[in-house]
Amino acid sequence: MAQDSGEPVSQAELAGSPVLLAETPAAPARRQRARIPLAPGEVRWLALPFLAPALVLLGAILLYPLIYSIVRSLFADGPAGGFGSFAGLRNYGSIFTDSSTLRAVENNLLWLVVVPTIVTILGLIFAVLTERIRWATAFKTVLFMPMAISALASGITFALIYADQPSRGLANTITVGIHDAFGSSSAYPTVFSNDAAAYSGSASAGYTTKSTFAPGSPALLPLTGLNLQSPPPDARQAAMPSAARGVYGVVWNDFRLGGGGTAGKIDPRELGLPGIQVQAIRGSQVVATTTADAHGGFVFPGLTSGRYQLRLPAANFAAAFGGVSWLGPNLITPAIMIAYLWIYAGFAMVLLAAGMSAISRDALEAARMDGATEWQVFRRITVPLLAPVLTVVFVTLIINVLKVFDIVFIIGQSAGANQKYSDVLAVSLYNAFGNQQYGLASAIGVILVLAVIPMMVVNIRRSRKEQR
Amino acid sequence: MTAIAGADIVTGAISRSRPARIAARTGGGALRIFLVVVGLIWLVPTFGLLVESLRNPAQYANGGWWNAVAHPAQLTFSNYSALLKNHAITSSFLNTIEITVPATLAVVLIGAAAAYAFAWMDFPGRDWLFLIVVGLLVIPIQIALIPVVRLYSVLGISGSLYSLWIFHVAFGLPFAIFLLRNYFAGIPRDLIEAARMDGGSDLLIFRRIVMPLGLPAIASLGIFQFLWVWNDLLVALVFSNASTQPLTVALASQTRQFGNSIDILASGAFLSLIIPLGVFLAFQRFFVQGVLAGSVK
């Protein structure tokens, strides 16, 4: 494992793996342990001073609250959060009827379905890929590091990444960059026309010419508003297309810096609007579509007869893509899940890597000698032998995800009014607690306990096996 | 370990044909690049937080932290000097230390004593009691909030450091006992029996044999508990008051107006993570062992 040093391996495993690797060499030593016979007359309550502090604390802070909460969950809220009248299971019912707690239940289910699986798979991928890399230690340290950091700090870190304005948050800067790189952003968000005589429509609906154009009569489509401080790099002096057949014309920015020029006429130093989309319309049907060249010229060579209206569709003028609202109602839960994944992928990786180092190298090498591909080795040998560790990782993540609080609370709070869309059960419990809805809070708590009972049983069974 | 891996690569290379070797090498190259990219992606969030904490908050409105990477002249320590003058933050930082250190020491001491009893002493119901402790490992702390708040108000310690210590220690104990008992039980039996033959008391055996030999496990536990308490938010949100609140709570209240308090949040978050990070890097081995053993928690 990454942390190899002078320490004997068996000792490290002794400390590290009572749960995970019951089959390690250290385990038999534990199993053989038997009771030490007491000397005659020795008193059995000698253990009490050693045990008492722990038992008192466990009884007062864990066991008693467990029983108290179960009872409390069956009662309505009295004054100041005290016991009210007996309510049966009504507190439990209201978890599934109240819209805010119901959303928390749904979110929790989403967490359960998505997160443990993805984190386990990622951890497995990283563990396998780093197995033969010499600087695996460095890689593992980097990925494991978030485990040491508080969820508060991670939450602030990711709230920073998800900041709404594209210029501030990394996630949106990348999203906008990718979006723009694929060219679907509009080229001319500032360009428009005020010429009500020439066009009907608007920038948001697209502009349609009022007059119609026949083949051979050039169409002049003036617009204004182009950012002349930084015009499109490929924009050139506006001009009619050279090889003009069919319906043709020019779309240009009918304005030049420094003044002069005539409205509605192509003057020197006025730029074409390259790439702008032009549609030819007959009746109300779009019959042809083209885009303008660097000089703003466009041609419909196929339209050789008839008269057509021309339209500059709204897509040309759509406002710039402003990024995604990561912490908005729809994406806030997935966004928080990504932060969680950042924290726990290293955890899964380290556990699985430890499990893999316990797999006999002979089995792997023998399979490779027999001509098995790396994929076959992975699928047929590594994964089955790793199954117990995979289970532990997966179940641990399920328990953690059930109780997830800090990271959801912090990122949610930074999202302001959208916080409610991120709620999970543990956050609902905290809110109910703050509102002195102790019956409801206790019921949520009991549900969380019920949900971890299967894991409790597994732990106890495994521990009993070891005691024998 | 490195030596074994190295030998593997060598023998593997010899036994493979030339095309396979080339394929393996280029594949390895792509793999290395992939892993480097993943590693960088994992570092970016924390690095961004660090850079943001070193920027004038006015620049937050103008653009993201990466602008400061291009213009390092923008970086300043003013957020940190402001943070150190902010009484609410400095006192909460001291509270974090005051909460964490005793809660860690106490859990080690109380847990080790109980673990010794479970491992090497005989008393009625020992195995059953231990199974209960194991069962308590996965109990979520949420279940205890309301009853313990009431208990504390009866005891008159609401909001005090005691209330935080007690809660953290109690919820640290199942893991502490579980981890240490399993480790202590692996100590060679002869050592303990010989000491008993010589008339050594349990206290002596505990102090002179079990604790020193159990040091690796105790270190794991200590680091794990330290980080757990240091990083805690929920327990402190519920049980601390204005004068005992730790850094996490002080900062959490600032996240309501995220954009307005980015200077405090970024530098404060970095302050809160730098000590756990140092502990993690210095004692990584013990921390990993603690996590491996504590994966049930």
CSV table of all heavy atoms in Angstrom, one decimal, chain A residues 282-337:
chain,number,residue,atom,x,y,z
A,282,ARG,N,-41.7,32.2,-49.0
A,282,ARG,CA,-42.7,32.3,-50.0
A,282,ARG,C,-44.0,31.9,-49.3
A,282,ARG,O,-44.1,30.8,-48.8
A,282,ARG,CB,-42.5,31.5,-51.2
A,282,ARG,CG,-43.3,31.8,-52.4
A,282,ARG,CD,-42.9,31.0,-53.5
A,282,ARG,NE,-43.3,31.6,-54.8
A,282,ARG,CZ,-42.9,31.1,-55.9
A,282,ARG,NH1,-42.1,30.0,-56.0
A,282,ARG,NH2,-43.3,31.6,-57.1
A,283,GLY,N,-45.0,32.8,-49.4
A,283,GLY,CA,-46.2,32.6,-48.5
A,283,GLY,C,-45.7,32.7,-47.1
A,283,GLY,O,-45.2,33.7,-46.7
A,284,SER,N,-45.9,31.7,-46.3
A,284,SER,CA,-45.3,31.7,-45.0
A,284,SER,C,-44.3,30.5,-44.9
A,284,SER,O,-43.9,30.2,-43.8
A,284,SER,CB,-46.4,31.6,-43.9
A,284,SER,OG,-47.2,30.5,-44.2
A,285,GLN,N,-43.9,29.9,-46.0
A,285,GLN,CA,-43.0,28.8,-45.9
A,285,GLN,C,-41.6,29.2,-46.2
A,285,GLN,O,-41.3,30.1,-47.0
A,285,GLN,CB,-43.4,27.8,-47.1
A,285,GLN,CG,-44.7,27.2,-47.0
A,285,GLN,CD,-44.8,26.1,-45.9
A,285,GLN,OE1,-43.8,25.3,-45.8
A,285,GLN,NE2,-45.8,26.1,-45.0
A,286,VAL,N,-40.7,28.7,-45.4
A,286,VAL,CA,-39.3,28.9,-45.6
A,286,VAL,C,-38.8,28.0,-46.7
A,286,VAL,O,-38.9,26.8,-46.6
A,286,VAL,CB,-38.4,28.6,-44.3
A,286,VAL,CG1,-36.9,28.7,-44.6
A,286,VAL,CG2,-38.8,29.5,-43.2
A,287,VAL,N,-38.4,28.5,-47.9
A,287,VAL,CA,-38.1,27.7,-49.0
A,287,VAL,C,-36.6,27.5,-49.1
A,287,VAL,O,-36.1,26.6,-49.8
A,287,VAL,CB,-38.7,28.3,-50.3
A,287,VAL,CG1,-40.2,28.2,-50.3
A,287,VAL,CG2,-38.2,29.7,-50.6
A,288,ALA,N,-35.8,28.4,-48.6
A,288,ALA,CA,-34.3,28.2,-48.7
A,288,ALA,C,-33.6,28.9,-47.5
A,288,ALA,O,-34.2,29.9,-47.0
A,288,ALA,CB,-33.8,28.7,-50.0
A,289,THR,N,-32.5,28.4,-47.1
A,289,THR,CA,-31.7,29.1,-46.0
A,289,THR,C,-30.3,29.1,-46.5
A,289,THR,O,-29.7,28.2,-47.1
A,289,THR,CB,-31.8,28.2,-44.8
A,289,THR,OG1,-33.2,28.1,-44.4
A,289,THR,CG2,-31.0,28.9,-43.6
A,290,THR,N,-29.6,30.2,-46.2
A,290,THR,CA,-28.2,30.3,-46.5
A,290,THR,C,-27.5,31.2,-45.4
A,290,THR,O,-28.2,31.8,-44.6
A,290,THR,CB,-28.0,30.9,-47.9
A,290,THR,OG1,-26.6,30.8,-48.2
A,290,THR,CG2,-28.4,32.4,-48.0
A,291,THR,N,-26.2,31.3,-45.5
A,291,THR,CA,-25.5,32.3,-44.6
A,291,THR,C,-24.6,33.2,-45.4
A,291,THR,O,-24.2,32.9,-46.5
A,291,THR,CB,-24.6,31.5,-43.6
A,291,THR,OG1,-23.8,30.6,-44.3
A,291,THR,CG2,-25.4,30.7,-42.6
A,292,ALA,N,-24.4,34.4,-44.8
A,292,ALA,CA,-23.7,35.4,-45.5
A,292,ALA,C,-22.2,35.2,-45.5
A,292,ALA,O,-21.7,34.5,-44.6
A,292,ALA,CB,-24.0,36.8,-44.9
A,293,ASP,N,-21.5,35.7,-46.6
A,293,ASP,CA,-20.0,35.5,-46.6
A,293,ASP,C,-19.4,36.7,-45.8
A,293,ASP,O,-20.0,37.4,-45.2
A,293,ASP,CB,-19.5,35.4,-48.1
A,293,ASP,CG,-19.9,36.7,-48.8
A,293,ASP,OD1,-20.1,37.8,-48.2
A,293,ASP,OD2,-19.9,36.7,-50.1
A,294,ALA,N,-18.0,36.8,-45.9
A,294,ALA,CA,-17.3,37.7,-45.2
A,294,ALA,C,-17.7,39.2,-45.5
A,294,ALA,O,-17.6,40.1,-44.6
A,294,ALA,CB,-15.8,37.6,-45.4
A,295,HIS,N,-18.2,39.4,-46.7
A,295,HIS,CA,-18.7,40.7,-47.0
A,295,HIS,C,-20.1,41.0,-46.8
A,295,HIS,O,-20.7,42.0,-47.1
A,295,HIS,CB,-18.4,41.0,-48.5
A,295,HIS,CG,-16.9,40.8,-48.9
A,295,HIS,ND1,-16.0,41.8,-48.7
A,295,HIS,CD2,-16.3,39.8,-49.4
A,295,HIS,CE1,-14.8,41.3,-49.0
A,295,HIS,NE2,-14.9,40.1,-49.5
A,296,GLY,N,-20.8,40.0,-46.2
A,296,GLY,CA,-22.2,40.1,-45.9
A,296,GLY,C,-23.1,39.6,-47.0
A,296,GLY,O,-24.3,39.7,-46.9
A,297,GLY,N,-22.4,39.2,-48.1
A,297,GLY,CA,-23.2,38.8,-49.3
A,297,GLY,C,-23.8,37.4,-49.2
A,297,GLY,O,-23.3,36.6,-48.5
A,298,PHE,N,-25.0,37.3,-49.7
A,298,PHE,CA,-25.7,36.0,-49.7
A,298,PHE,C,-26.3,35.7,-51.0
A,298,PHE,O,-26.7,36.6,-51.7
A,298,PHE,CB,-26.7,35.9,-48.5
A,298,PHE,CG,-27.8,36.8,-48.7
A,298,PHE,CD1,-29.0,36.5,-49.3
A,298,PHE,CD2,-27.7,38.1,-48.1
A,298,PHE,CE1,-30.0,37.4,-49.5
A,298,PHE,CE2,-28.8,39.0,-48.3
A,298,PHE,CZ,-29.9,38.6,-48.9
A,299,VAL,N,-26.5,34.4,-51.4
A,299,VAL,CA,-27.0,34.0,-52.7
A,299,VAL,C,-27.9,32.8,-52.5
A,299,VAL,O,-27.6,31.9,-51.7
A,299,VAL,CB,-25.9,33.6,-53.6
A,299,VAL,CG1,-26.5,33.3,-55.0
A,299,VAL,CG2,-24.8,34.7,-53.7
A,300,PHE,N,-29.1,32.9,-53.1
A,300,PHE,CA,-29.9,31.7,-53.2
A,300,PHE,C,-29.9,31.2,-54.7
A,300,PHE,O,-30.8,31.6,-55.4
A,300,PHE,CB,-31.4,32.0,-52.8
A,300,PHE,CG,-31.5,32.3,-51.3
A,300,PHE,CD1,-31.6,33.6,-51.0
A,300,PHE,CD2,-31.5,31.3,-50.4
A,300,PHE,CE1,-31.8,34.0,-49.6
A,300,PHE,CE2,-31.7,31.6,-49.0
A,300,PHE,CZ,-31.8,33.0,-48.7
A,301,PRO,N,-28.9,30.5,-55.1
A,301,PRO,CA,-28.8,30.2,-56.6
A,301,PRO,C,-30.0,29.4,-57.1
A,301,PRO,O,-30.3,29.4,-58.3
A,301,PRO,CB,-27.5,29.5,-56.7
A,301,PRO,CG,-27.1,29.0,-55.3
A,301,PRO,CD,-27.8,29.9,-54.4
A,302,GLY,N,-30.6,28.7,-56.2
A,302,GLY,CA,-31.7,27.8,-56.6
A,302,GLY,C,-33.0,28.5,-56.9
A,302,GLY,O,-33.9,28.0,-57.5
A,303,LEU,N,-33.1,29.8,-56.4
A,303,LEU,CA,-34.4,30.5,-56.6
A,303,LEU,C,-34.3,31.3,-57.9
A,303,LEU,O,-33.8,32.4,-57.9
A,303,LEU,CB,-34.7,31.4,-55.4
A,303,LEU,CG,-34.7,30.7,-54.0
A,303,LEU,CD1,-34.9,31.7,-52.9
A,303,LEU,CD2,-35.7,29.6,-54.0
A,304,THR,N,-34.8,30.8,-58.9
A,304,THR,CA,-34.6,31.4,-60.2
A,304,THR,C,-35.9,32.1,-60.7
A,304,THR,O,-35.9,32.7,-61.7
A,304,THR,CB,-34.2,30.4,-61.3
A,304,THR,OG1,-35.0,29.3,-61.2
A,304,THR,CG2,-32.7,30.0,-61.0
A,305,SER,N,-37.0,31.9,-60.0
A,305,SER,CA,-38.2,32.6,-60.5
A,305,SER,C,-39.1,32.9,-59.3
A,305,SER,O,-38.9,32.3,-58.2
A,305,SER,CB,-39.0,31.7,-61.5
A,305,SER,OG,-39.4,30.5,-60.8
A,306,GLY,N,-40.0,33.8,-59.4
A,306,GLY,CA,-40.9,34.1,-58.3
A,306,GLY,C,-40.4,35.3,-57.5
A,306,GLY,O,-39.3,35.7,-57.7
A,307,ARG,N,-41.2,35.7,-56.5
A,307,ARG,CA,-40.7,36.7,-55.6
A,307,ARG,C,-40.7,36.2,-54.1
A,307,ARG,O,-41.6,35.4,-53.8
A,307,ARG,CB,-41.7,37.9,-55.7
A,307,ARG,CG,-41.7,38.5,-57.1
A,307,ARG,CD,-42.5,39.8,-57.1
A,307,ARG,NE,-41.8,40.9,-56.4
A,307,ARG,CZ,-40.9,41.7,-56.9
A,307,ARG,NH1,-40.5,41.5,-58.2
A,307,ARG,NH2,-40.3,42.7,-56.3
A,308,TYR,N,-39.8,36.6,-53.4
A,308,TYR,CA,-39.6,36.1,-52.1
A,308,TYR,C,-39.4,37.2,-51.0
A,308,TYR,O,-38.7,38.2,-51.3
A,308,TYR,CB,-38.3,35.2,-52.0
A,308,TYR,CG,-38.4,34.0,-53.0
A,308,TYR,CD1,-38.0,34.2,-54.3
A,308,TYR,CD2,-39.0,32.8,-52.7
A,308,TYR,CE1,-38.1,33.2,-55.3
A,308,TYR,CE2,-39.1,31.8,-53.6
A,308,TYR,CZ,-38.6,32.0,-54.9
A,308,TYR,OH,-38.7,31.0,-55.8
A,309,GLN,N,-39.9,36.9,-49.8
A,309,GLN,CA,-39.5,37.8,-48.7
A,309,GLN,C,-38.3,37.2,-48.1
A,309,GLN,O,-38.0,36.0,-48.2
A,309,GLN,CB,-40.6,37.8,-47.6
A,309,GLN,CG,-41.8,38.7,-47.9
A,309,GLN,CD,-42.8,38.6,-46.8
A,309,GLN,OE1,-43.4,37.6,-46.6
A,309,GLN,NE2,-43.0,39.7,-46.1
A,310,LEU,N,-37.5,38.0,-47.5
A,310,LEU,CA,-36.3,37.5,-46.8
A,310,LEU,C,-36.4,37.7,-45.3
A,310,LEU,O,-37.0,38.7,-44.8
A,310,LEU,CB,-35.0,38.3,-47.3
A,310,LEU,CG,-34.8,38.1,-48.8
A,310,LEU,CD1,-33.6,38.9,-49.3
A,310,LEU,CD2,-34.5,36.6,-49.1
A,311,ARG,N,-35.9,36.7,-44.6
A,311,ARG,CA,-36.0,36.8,-43.1
A,311,ARG,C,-34.6,36.6,-42.5
A,311,ARG,O,-33.9,35.7,-42.9
A,311,ARG,CB,-37.0,35.8,-42.5
A,311,ARG,CG,-37.1,35.8,-41.0
A,311,ARG,CD,-37.8,34.7,-40.4
A,311,ARG,NE,-39.2,34.8,-40.6
A,311,ARG,CZ,-40.1,33.8,-40.4
A,311,ARG,NH1,-39.6,32.6,-40.1
A,311,ARG,NH2,-41.3,34.0,-40.6
A,312,LEU,N,-34.3,37.4,-41.4
A,312,LEU,CA,-33.1,37.2,-40.6
A,312,LEU,C,-33.6,36.5,-39.3
A,312,LEU,O,-34.2,37.3,-38.4
A,312,LEU,CB,-32.4,38.5,-40.4
A,312,LEU,CG,-32.0,39.2,-41.6
A,312,LEU,CD1,-31.6,40.7,-41.3
A,312,LEU,CD2,-30.9,38.5,-42.4
A,313,PRO,N,-33.5,35.2,-39.1
A,313,PRO,CA,-34.2,34.6,-38.0
A,313,PRO,C,-33.6,35.0,-36.6
A,313,PRO,O,-32.5,35.5,-36.6
A,313,PRO,CB,-34.0,33.1,-38.2
A,313,PRO,CG,-33.0,33.0,-39.3
A,313,PRO,CD,-32.9,34.3,-40.0
A,314,ALA,N,-34.4,34.8,-35.6
A,314,ALA,CA,-34.0,35.3,-34.3
A,314,ALA,C,-32.8,34.7,-33.7
A,314,ALA,O,-32.1,35.3,-32.9
A,314,ALA,CB,-35.2,35.0,-33.3
A,315,ALA,N,-32.4,33.5,-34.2
A,315,ALA,CA,-31.2,32.9,-33.7
A,315,ALA,C,-30.0,33.7,-33.9
A,315,ALA,O,-29.0,33.7,-33.1
A,315,ALA,CB,-31.0,31.5,-34.4
A,316,ASN,N,-30.0,34.6,-34.9
A,316,ASN,CA,-28.9,35.5,-35.2
A,316,ASN,C,-28.6,36.5,-34.0
A,316,ASN,O,-27.5,36.9,-33.8
A,316,ASN,CB,-29.1,36.3,-36.4
A,316,ASN,CG,-29.1,35.4,-37.7
A,316,ASN,OD1,-28.2,34.5,-37.8
A,316,ASN,ND2,-30.0,35.7,-38.6
A,317,PHE,N,-29.7,36.8,-33.3
A,317,PHE,CA,-29.6,37.9,-32.4
A,317,PHE,C,-29.8,37.5,-30.9
A,317,PHE,O,-29.9,38.3,-30.1
A,317,PHE,CB,-30.7,38.9,-32.8
A,317,PHE,CG,-30.8,39.3,-34.2
A,317,PHE,CD1,-31.8,38.8,-35.0
A,317,PHE,CD2,-29.7,40.0,-34.8
A,317,PHE,CE1,-31.8,39.1,-36.4
A,317,PHE,CE2,-29.7,40.3,-36.2
A,317,PHE,CZ,-30.8,39.8,-36.9
A,318,ALA,N,-29.9,36.2,-30.7
A,318,ALA,CA,-30.2,35.7,-29.3
A,318,ALA,C,-29.1,36.2,-28.4
A,318,ALA,O,-27.9,36.4,-28.8
A,318,ALA,CB,-30.2,34.2,-29.3
A,319,ALA,N,-29.5,36.5,-27.2
A,319,ALA,CA,-28.5,37.0,-26.2
A,319,ALA,C,-27.4,35.9,-26.0
A,319,ALA,O,-27.7,34.7,-26.1
A,319,ALA,CB,-29.2,37.3,-24.9
A,320,ALA,N,-26.3,36.4,-25.6
A,320,ALA,CA,-25.1,35.4,-25.4
A,320,ALA,C,-25.5,34.4,-24.3
A,320,ALA,O,-26.3,34.7,-23.4
A,320,ALA,CB,-23.9,36.2,-24.9
A,321,PHE,N,-25.0,33.2,-24.5
A,321,PHE,CA,-25.2,32.1,-23.6
A,321,PHE,C,-24.6,32.5,-22.2
A,321,PHE,O,-23.5,32.8,-22.1
A,321,PHE,CB,-24.6,30.8,-24.1
A,321,PHE,CG,-24.7,29.7,-23.2
A,321,PHE,CD1,-25.9,29.1,-22.9
A,321,PHE,CD2,-23.5,29.1,-22.6
A,321,PHE,CE1,-26.0,28.0,-22.0
A,321,PHE,CE2,-23.6,28.0,-21.8
A,321,PHE,CZ,-24.9,27.5,-21.5
A,322,GLY,N,-25.5,32.5,-21.2
A,322,GLY,CA,-25.0,33.0,-19.9
A,322,GLY,C,-24.6,31.9,-18.9
A,322,GLY,O,-24.4,32.1,-17.7
A,323,GLY,N,-24.4,30.7,-19.4
A,323,GLY,CA,-24.0,29.6,-18.5
A,323,GLY,C,-25.2,28.9,-17.9
A,323,GLY,O,-26.4,29.2,-18.2
A,324,VAL,N,-24.9,28.0,-17.0
A,324,VAL,CA,-26.0,27.2,-16.4
A,324,VAL,C,-26.1,27.6,-14.9
A,324,VAL,O,-25.1,27.9,-14.3
A,324,VAL,CB,-25.5,25.7,-16.5
A,324,VAL,CG1,-26.5,24.8,-15.8
A,324,VAL,CG2,-25.4,25.3,-17.9
A,325,SER,N,-27.3,27.5,-14.4
A,325,SER,CA,-27.5,27.8,-13.0
A,325,SER,C,-27.3,26.6,-12.2
A,325,SER,O,-28.2,25.8,-11.9
A,325,SER,CB,-29.0,28.3,-12.8
A,325,SER,OG,-29.1,28.7,-11.5
A,326,TRP,N,-26.0,26.3,-11.8
A,326,TRP,CA,-25.6,25.1,-11.2
A,326,TRP,C,-26.4,24.9,-9.9
A,326,TRP,O,-26.7,23.8,-9.5
A,326,TRP,CB,-24.1,25.1,-10.9
A,326,TRP,CG,-23.4,24.9,-12.2
A,326,TRP,CD1,-22.7,25.9,-12.9
A,326,TRP,CD2,-23.2,23.7,-13.0
A,326,TRP,NE1,-22.2,25.4,-14.0
A,326,TRP,CE2,-22.4,24.0,-14.1
A,326,TRP,CE3,-23.6,22.4,-12.8
A,326,TRP,CZ2,-22.1,23.1,-15.0
A,326,TRP,CZ3,-23.3,21.5,-13.7
A,326,TRP,CH2,-22.5,21.8,-14.8
A,327,LEU,N,-26.6,26.0,-9.2
A,327,LEU,CA,-27.2,25.9,-7.9
A,327,LEU,C,-28.7,26.3,-8.0
A,327,LEU,O,-29.3,26.7,-7.0
A,327,LEU,CB,-26.5,26.8,-6.8
A,327,LEU,CG,-25.0,26.3,-6.6
A,327,LEU,CD1,-24.4,27.2,-5.5
A,327,LEU,CD2,-24.9,24.9,-6.3
A,328,GLY,N,-29.3,26.2,-9.2
A,328,GLY,CA,-30.7,26.4,-9.4
A,328,GLY,C,-31.5,25.2,-9.0
A,328,GLY,O,-30.9,24.1,-8.6
A,329,PRO,N,-32.8,25.2,-9.0
A,329,PRO,CA,-33.7,24.1,-8.6
A,329,PRO,C,-33.3,22.8,-9.2
A,329,PRO,O,-33.4,21.8,-8.5
A,329,PRO,CB,-35.1,24.6,-9.0
A,329,PRO,CG,-35.0,26.1,-9.1
A,329,PRO,CD,-33.6,26.4,-9.5
A,330,ASN,N,-33.0,22.8,-10.5
A,330,ASN,CA,-32.8,21.5,-11.1
A,330,ASN,C,-31.4,20.8,-10.9
A,330,ASN,O,-31.3,19.6,-10.8
A,330,ASN,CB,-33.0,21.6,-12.6
A,330,ASN,CG,-34.4,22.0,-12.9
A,330,ASN,OD1,-35.3,21.6,-12.3
A,330,ASN,ND2,-34.6,22.9,-13.9
A,331,LEU,N,-30.4,21.6,-10.8
A,331,LEU,CA,-29.0,21.1,-10.8
A,331,LEU,C,-28.4,21.1,-9.5
A,331,LEU,O,-27.3,20.6,-9.3
A,331,LEU,CB,-28.2,21.9,-11.8
A,331,LEU,CG,-28.4,21.6,-13.3
A,331,LEU,CD1,-27.5,22.4,-14.2
A,331,LEU,CD2,-28.3,20.1,-13.6
A,332,ILE,N,-29.0,21.7,-8.4
A,332,ILE,CA,-28.3,21.8,-7.2
A,332,ILE,C,-27.9,20.5,-6.6
A,332,ILE,O,-26.8,20.3,-6.1
A,332,ILE,CB,-29.1,22.7,-6.2
A,332,ILE,CG1,-28.3,23.0,-5.0
A,332,ILE,CG2,-30.5,22.1,-5.8
A,332,ILE,CD1,-28.8,24.2,-4.1
A,333,THR,N,-28.9,19.5,-6.6
A,333,THR,CA,-28.5,18.2,-6.0
A,333,THR,C,-27.4,17.5,-6.8
A,333,THR,O,-26.4,17.1,-6.2
A,333,THR,CB,-29.8,17.4,-5.9
A,333,THR,OG1,-30.6,18.0,-4.9
A,333,THR,CG2,-29.5,15.9,-5.5
A,334,PRO,N,-27.5,17.4,-8.1
A,334,PRO,CA,-26.3,16.8,-8.9
A,334,PRO,C,-25.0,17.6,-8.6
A,334,PRO,O,-24.0,17.0,-8.5
A,334,PRO,CB,-26.7,16.9,-10.3
A,334,PRO,CG,-28.2,17.0,-10.3
A,334,PRO,CD,-28.6,17.6,-9.1
A,335,ALA,N,-25.1,18.9,-8.5
A,335,ALA,CA,-23.9,19.7,-8.2
A,335,ALA,C,-23.3,19.3,-6.9
A,335,ALA,O,-22.1,19.2,-6.8
A,335,ALA,CB,-24.2,21.2,-8.3
A,336,ILE,N,-24.1,19.2,-5.9
A,336,ILE,CA,-23.6,18.8,-4.6
A,336,ILE,C,-23.0,17.4,-4.6
A,336,ILE,O,-22.0,17.1,-4.0
A,336,ILE,CB,-24.7,19.0,-3.5
A,336,ILE,CG1,-25.1,20.4,-3.4
A,336,ILE,CG2,-24.2,18.5,-2.1
A,336,ILE,CD1,-26.3,20.7,-2.5
A,337,MET,N,-23.7,16.5,-5.4
A,337,MET,CA,-23.2,15.2,-5.5
A,337,MET,C,-21.8,15.1,-6.1
A,337,MET,O,-20.9,14.3,-5.7
A,337,MET,CB,-24.1,14.3,-6.4
A,337,MET,CG,-25.4,14.0,-5.8
A,337,MET,SD,-26.4,13.1,-7.0
A,337,MET,CE,-27.9,12.8,-6.0
